[in-house]
Amino acid sequence: MHPVLKLVVQRIALGLLLLLAVSAVIFLGVEALPGDTAQAILGQSATPVALENLRAEMGLDRPPLERYLSWLGGVLTGDLGTALSNKADIAQSISTRLGNTLFLAAAAAVIAVPLAILLGLVAARYVGGWPDKLISGVTLTTISLPEFVAAYFVIFLLTQVFPIFQPVSMVLPGMGFWGKLQAIALPVIVLVMVVLAHMMRMTRAAILNVMQSAYVETAELKGLSPMQVVWRHALPNAVAPVVSVVMLNLAYLVVGVVVVEVVFSYNALGKYLVDHVTKRDLPVVQAVGLIFAAVYIFLNVAADIIAIVANPRLRHPK
Amino acid sequence: MADALLSFKNLKIEATAYPPGERPRHVVLVDGVTVSVQKGKVLGLIGESGAGKSTIGLSAMAFGRGGVRLTGGEIVLNGRDIRTADAGALRSLRGRDVTYVAQSAAASFNPAKKLMEQVIETSVSHGVMTKAEAEARAVSLFRQLSLPNPETIGERYPHQVSGGQLQRVMTAMALCPKPDLVIFDEPTTALDVTTQIDVLAAIKRAIHETGVAALYITHDLAVVAQVADDILVLRHGKMVEYSSTDQIINAPREPYTQALVSVRSIDHAEKAPAPPVLSVQNVTARYKGTSFDVLKNVNVDVAPGQTLAIVGESGSGKSTLARAITGLLPPSAGRIQFAGRTLSADLSGRSKDDLRELQMIYQMADVAMNPRQTVGTIIGRPLEFYFGLTGEAKRLRIQELLDQIEMGAGFADRYPAELSGGQKQRVCIARALAAKPKLIICDEVTSALDPLVADGILKLLLDLQAHENVAYLFITHDLATVRAIADKIAVMFKGQVVRYGQKTDVLSPPFDDYTDLLLSSVPEMELGWLEKVIQTRKMESAGN
């Protein structure tokens, strides 16, 4: 087997194993909470008999391992159970919201990733000069603002001072693609501000690290222009560290944007999770937790695989 | 000098140094250098490190590493002063009129790109020729430089070819855009002696056949004597002697040049055989997860107060033998007897005395020391660890050790970064001596040093041996060093000892083919030596 293929298969297998372990941790974590689902439904004043009956009805009296396996079996067949609060099918509730989450994350990523890498390259090219200082200053300022402050600032600026957008990002089923894009413009701007600095700094650092190497001096002595040196000789060797930070930020865009969703009343996964945590709706918390974990693991495995494939020593063994 | 291609007039190059713990200081790297290169001729630049050779070489492209600045004089290339040229003019000059071959081709190729793409890059980007023409020229240069598979080697990545081949590919890269001048910056220094000779011959032939002019930078006078028409000897950035190669080699005028020509004059009579302190018996070893024996049934001995030199090219198993002896790589078969006892194969099974009596000194002195510890702390650590010395007793012993390595007590408070290369290696020797060892393994300890400094280290090691009766296992690829220091020699080739015995026996004919190749590959200070050797040798190097 080609060594690259072997490594890739290994990484994927490890990712799946990790996901299984995380599912057990999530299940145990929810199990360890005081009270159970029956208690959550019936409330503090429930009689012991009523609790017993409900537990028997929901199968909660079975041993934990059996319940874990049946939950896992359900997850694998696409059945995430029903929410306690409204008896809705969780898989169905999640699917539209997951779509919204991914749409917002993708829109932010499409702008933020190329922009961050470009700014990182420019900063590295003019290291110590004013473009470097300007880019670093601006991105560090935006990352230093808490998300809700940035969000309200953007709302104030773009709906009050310059009334261009709507302050609320309602995405309705019948909306067209452009309509949806317009609706999420403000949260996208805020998210780009938040994730830009991290990726930009990493690109800059990785490029500067590579710029120390002898082959970059060779490129300079070939009479290539500074941007050619950075683009052709430095960037291909800085892929691995840049990709891993990009993936971490993509993961953040999917699972970490609760505050932004709440501020803009954007109906997505994070808001759904927070709503159901307050209602003690444990099956939903479990299901969303697992999805978030899966996204994290998937993106990190993807980063590993890209780093493996980008390494010529692995791709072309001796 | 009417048709001088390149001439330096009163060149002055400066930089700002940032010594640790002191204020930045202005230093003059090169001062008052006036020299010229004719079309199609080769000028050799020679001197020890810090002499300003590379700095002058790079200034021919108006390039300064780090904060290096060209502050005075003229650099006239093709009738134009390039010191005052603007960035655009310099870019069109670099990689087209003047090209560069670096010491480490392995580090100087972009690991992410195919060789061909890099070789033809400047020819295409400077518009000298089309991609197809450049590729055709590259292939013919590969052939001219005797590279294997010239048609397809360009499709490989840098890590897929050997160091000697990569150095030749870099030469092809420099010659591809048909430059007027090529700067060779120590192009064979990082190579094995047996590989160096092939690369040197290939470079010399390529220079001759393309008619290009060259600046050839090296610290090895014997090497430059083979390729240069004229030689400029440099020291501390100033000209020492500038003359024809014949004059410099056969009738040097300046005392410094005379010292360079006669270097390695240590005379060491071998000692009589004696019962061994270390005896390596039938040792076979392989690295974890591989199925290839790096050491095959190795048997060598060394007696107290004597030196066993292990010679061979890289990959021959020299350093692996050291790892097996120190317990870092437990052998799969065989045993190691030391001071009358059998050593545990694994490091973890060895007693504190086993560790103390077997010390090591490394090639890279600067990475073998903690940069944040003072010399006193570094030397004091084994005194504390093995002998429990503290306070005044420790201080006195440190001073004694510093005296032994011919450095004053004042050095105890200095940091490694404040020492020269030779001084750093001396501190490493003192650290090894502090443990009062019976055997010191010296792994290429002089390879990174300038010849005159290396000579000093060898003399020190011999003095210490006479005084302390310590045995050395001396790993090196440099036969001149072996002649200077060894009592016994083991020649290693592909994991096996191919020749072993007392120094005079090993170095006397008849030779096996490999030892013959090794001995004949050592450059000699003699004009025309290269051609003679290439014609008469019996086999080619393994690393080729």
Side-chain angles (χ1 to χ4, degrees), chain B residues 43-283:
Chain B
L43 171 69
L45 294 181
I46 183 148
E48 55 199 62
S49 49
K53 313 182 292 284
S54 293
T55 312
I56 294 176
L58 288 169
S59 76
M61 305 174 91
F63 185 86
R65 274 193 186 123
V68 169
R69 299 180 303 274
L70 312 174
T71 48
E74 284 176 25
I75 307 165
V76 180
L77 180 77
N78 282 327
R80 198 164 48 124
D81 187 1
I82 61 170
R83 195 169 76 80
T84 51
D86 64 16
L90 286 181
R91 274 208 293 281
S92 64
L93 168 149
R94 291 175 187 160
R96 191 180 71 186
D97 300 337
V98 188
T99 57
Y100 183 72
V101 178
Q103 172 171 353
S104 170
S108 300
F109 274 104
N110 185 337
K113 295 201 179 289
K114 288 179 181 171
L115 291 173
M116 181 58 91
E117 204 179 325
Q118 305 190 52
V119 168
I120 64 167
E121 187 172 12
T122 43
S123 307
V124 178
S125 76
H126 285 300
V128 179
M129 48 191 106
T130 65
K131 187 161 179 280
E133 284 166 358
E135 282 179 358
R137 177 163 167 80
V139 169
S140 81
L141 283 168
F142 292 157
R143 192 171 291 121
Q144 202 170 26
L145 287 157
S146 318
L147 280 160
N149 310 316
E151 276 82 17
T152 54
I153 195 167
E155 291 308 300
R156 305 188 135 226
Y157 283 84
H159 69 273
Q160 293 177 304
V161 303
S162 73
Q165 289 169 4
L166 217 45
Q167 209 70 46
R168 279 180 273 175
V169 175
M170 190 150 198
T171 305
M173 182 158 90
L175 291 172
C176 192
K178 301 185 179 169
D180 298 326
L181 177 75
V182 181
I183 298 156
F184 291 96
D185 194 351
E186 304 259 13
T188 63
T189 307
L191 302 175
D192 276 316
V193 66
T194 50
T195 314
Q196 160 169 289
I197 188 170
D198 291 315
V199 175
L200 199 58
I203 288 176
K204 184 174 183 179
R205 198 168 56 241
I207 290 175
H208 184 71
E209 287 173 12
T210 54
V212 72
L215 272 182
Y216 198 100
I217 297 161
T218 176
H219 68 275
D220 190 340
L221 194 50
V223 165
V224 82
Q226 308 309 318
V227 289
D229 299 298
D230 296 308
I231 294 178
L232 168 62
V233 182
L234 290 155
R235 192 179 196 196
H236 306 319
K238 293 199 168 66
M239 294 172 67
V240 174
E241 190 165 351
Y242 173 35
S243 192
S244 72
T245 303
D246 185 36
Q247 173 85 41
I248 295 273
I249 300 296
N250 296 320
R253 276 185 229 111
E254 297 294 321
Y256 179 70
T257 316
Q258 286 161 2
L260 281 181
V261 172
S262 63
V263 80
R264 298 292 156 82
S265 52
I266 299 175
D267 209 18
H268 173 66
E270 77 179 45
K271 301 187 192 85
V277 59
L278 173 86
S279 167
V280 176
Q281 299 170 357
N282 307 314
V283 163

Side-chain angles (χ1 to χ4, degrees), chain A residues 33-258:
Chain A
L33 290 175
D36 61 1
T37 309
Q39 185 92 56
I41 294 173
L42 296 176
Q44 292 293 337
S45 54
T47 63
V49 180
L51 279 174
E52 279 307 312
N53 288 341
L54 187 59
R55 281 188 186 130
E57 190 190 317
M58 297 179 71
L60 292 176
D61 51 351
R62 289 180 298 161
L65 183 66
E66 205 180 310
R67 280 183 287 125
Y68 170 65
L69 290 178
S70 83
W71 175 62
L72 200 61
V75 169
L76 291 177
T77 53
D79 176 14
L80 295 172
T82 40
L84 301 178
S85 44
N86 56 3
K87 305 283 178 229
D89 181 50
I90 297 176
Q92 215 158 31
S93 313
I94 284 181
S95 69
T96 50
R97 290 179 174 87
L98 183 62
N100 286 349
T101 292
L102 294 179
F103 182 61
L104 179 63
V110 162
I111 296 171
V113 173
L115 186 63
I117 290 175
L118 188 72
L119 289 177
L121 290 180
V122 172
R125 157 70 182 86
Y126 295 101
V127 61
W130 67 263
D132 180 28
K133 285 178 183 148
L134 183 72
I135 290 169
S136 291
V138 169
T139 52
L140 286 178
T141 308
T142 59
I143 202 179
S144 307
L145 283 178
E147 286 158 38
F148 56 90
V149 175
Y152 287 123
F153 175 72
V154 168
I155 290 175
F156 175 69
L157 193 71
L158 295 181
T159 65
Q160 304 302 313
V161 183
F162 306 103
I164 307 171
F165 295 108
Q166 294 294 315
V168 174
S169 303
M170 292 288 245
V171 177
L172 303 168
M175 276 168 111
F177 182 71
W178 286 112
K180 279 189 185 176
L181 268 189
Q182 207 169 11
I184 64 165
L186 289 183
V188 164
I189 291 171
V190 173
L191 290 177
V192 167
M193 284 168 65
V194 172
V195 296
L196 202 57
H198 198 188
M199 291 188 284
M200 187 293 281
R201 299 289 294 181
M202 193 64 208
T203 306
R204 178 180 175 277
I207 294 283
L208 286 181
N209 189 27
V210 173
M211 293 295 274
Q212 304 292 322
S213 52
Y215 55 83
V216 166
E217 186 181 281
T218 305
E220 286 171 17
L221 290 176
K222 279 177 166 182
L224 304 180
S225 74
M227 220 54 216
Q228 279 176 319
V229 172
V230 169
W231 183 255
R232 293 226 289 254
H233 290 279
L235 187 60
N237 292 291
V239 166
V242 172
V243 164
S244 66
V245 167
V246 166
M247 288 303 179
L248 274 179
N249 281 282
L250 291 187
Y252 170 81
L253 285 177
V254 175
V255 309
V257 297
V258 178

